[in-house]
Amino acid sequence: MSKCPDARDCLQDLVVPAMEDVVDKVNFTLSFIGSNCLIASYSKIPSRDLVESCALEHGIPFDDLNGCISEEGKGLDLLEQSVERSQAAGVTKSCTVRVDNKMWCIRDGGEWKDCENGSDVRSLVKEVEKLYSG
């Protein structure tokens, strides 16, 4: 996450604080857009060679990553599903906040963009509560 300051800021400053208020009203899903090496070859994610080269590209020890993804063989499947979910939704920026299957706000380059209803916790909570009660 440290290589993704927009995702870190988005989670710390918006998503997590909002979730504390609406956790019982939402089905929260965190999806990854994948790094460039994964996006370019997402259909090959189960390939050990692809994962090793991506780990090397990003300075992640493969043994650490392998320990996470190998447990019962589900880690790579989960990563592939996550990247596919982001691609199907047309998400290309980290961090894109979606509410009710629609783009709600984007954090990109240290700035909030395309945030029609605001980019603060109160606005996100209000949006969720409006949908929940509606």
Side-chain angles (χ1 to χ4, degrees), residues 8-28:
R8 179 198 63 222
D9 294 347
C10 180
L11 287 170
Q12 287 178 352
D13 299 341
L14 178 64
V15 175
V16 172
M19 290 301 297
E20 291 173 358
D21 290 339
V22 296
V23 67
D24 58 335
K25 298 173 180 154
V26 297
N27 177 5
F28 176 74

Side-chain angles (χ1 to χ4, degrees), residues 44-110:
K44 299 178 185 176
I45 287 175
S47 161
R48 179 184 171 109
D49 292 340
L50 174 67
V51 175
E52 283 180 334
S53 68
C54 285
L56 180 63
E57 179 182 325
H58 292 282
I60 301 169
F62 178 75
D63 290 340
D64 293 349
L65 182 61
N66 193 43
C68 175
I69 63 176
S70 295
E71 189 171 321
E72 299 179 25
K74 295 188 181 202
L76 285 174
D77 291 340
L78 292 172
L79 176 60
E80 183 176 21
Q81 290 168 14
S82 177
V83 172
E84 287 175 347
R85 190 170 44 248
S86 294
Q87 287 194 328
V91 173
T92 59
K93 301 287 183 187
S94 176
C95 166
T96 298
V97 177
R98 294 172 43 83
V99 176
D100 196 29
N101 294 316
K102 298 175 189 94
M103 195 284 297
W104 188 78
C105 193
I106 296 173
R107 177 84 174 174
D108 185 36

